[in-house]
Amino acid sequence: DTVGGDPMGLPYSTFDHSRAHYFRYDEHVSLCLEKQSSPKDKSKAVLQHKYVRCSVRAQIQHLRRVLCHRLELPLQHVQILFNNETLPDHMTMKQLWLSRWFGKPAPLLLHYSIKDKRR
C-alpha cells in the first residue's frame, strides 16, 4: 500500500507489522543438513532435501522438530551437531551463525545424528 508521496515524487510506503507473519520479514539463514555417518548406524533415515532456509530467530529445537517430522522419528532420537558438538535446543540460528560460521560462505553446514532406538 502506498499513501501520499514525498517532494521527489516517490510514494511513501506503509506497512502494518502487527498483521505480518512473525518470521516472514526476518533475516534468513541457509543451512545444509547432512547425516553424520557412523559405522554403528544402520538407520536408513536420510533427508531427501538437505538444504533449508529459515529465520535467524529459529532455534535448534525448531530445526530438530522439522527434522524428526520429515524422518518420521521421535524427537529424542535426533541430535543436531556442529563439528561433532551437540547444539543446545535454545540456541538461535543467528547465535550459531555469528559464533561458529561468521565469515564463511553460505550455507551453514550442520550434521544430524540418529540415536539407536534401543537406548
Side-chain angles (χ1 to χ4, degrees):
D1 293 347
T2 59
V3 177
D6 70 3
M8 301 288 288
L10 299 172
Y12 289 129
S13 178
T14 59
F15 184 78
D16 184 4
H17 288 277
S18 66
R19 295 187 316 169
H21 187 272
Y22 189 68
F23 291 113
R24 176 178 270 167
Y25 299 101
D26 280 352
E27 292 177 86
H28 287 91
V29 62
S30 296
L31 308 172
C32 178
L33 291 168
E34 292 188 351
K35 185 173 184 199
Q36 186 178 46
S37 58
S38 73
K40 296 184 284 183
D41 188 13
K42 293 177 178 58
S43 173
K44 302 289 184 208
V46 177
L47 282 177
Q48 294 295 334
H49 303 286
K50 65 181 186 175
Y51 294 99
V52 178
R53 187 170 174 217
C54 63
S55 167
V56 293
R57 289 196 242 181
Q59 296 178 340
I60 295 296
Q61 67 183 344
H62 300 132
L63 195 56
R64 281 183 58 215
R65 284 185 188 145
V66 169
L67 192 57
C68 289
H69 178 72
R70 288 189 180 172
L71 296 174
E72 298 177 355
L73 292 169
L75 190 60
Q76 64 269 21
H77 292 264
V78 177
Q79 292 180 327
I80 306 283
L81 306 138
F82 180 84
N83 285 346
N84 294 324
E85 174 192 345
T86 301
L87 296 171
D89 277 345
H90 65 275
M91 179 178 265
T92 65
M93 295 300 120
K94 186 157 194 159
Q95 289 171 324
L96 179 62
W97 184 277
L98 292 175
S99 66
R100 300 196 170 108
W101 200 260
F102 189 75
K104 297 179 186 175
L108 186 150
L109 179 61
L110 296 176
H111 288 90
Y112 62 94
S113 68
I114 300 170
K115 295 180 191 176
D116 188 3
K117 294 177 185 175
R118 290 174 283 171
R119 292 184 203 168

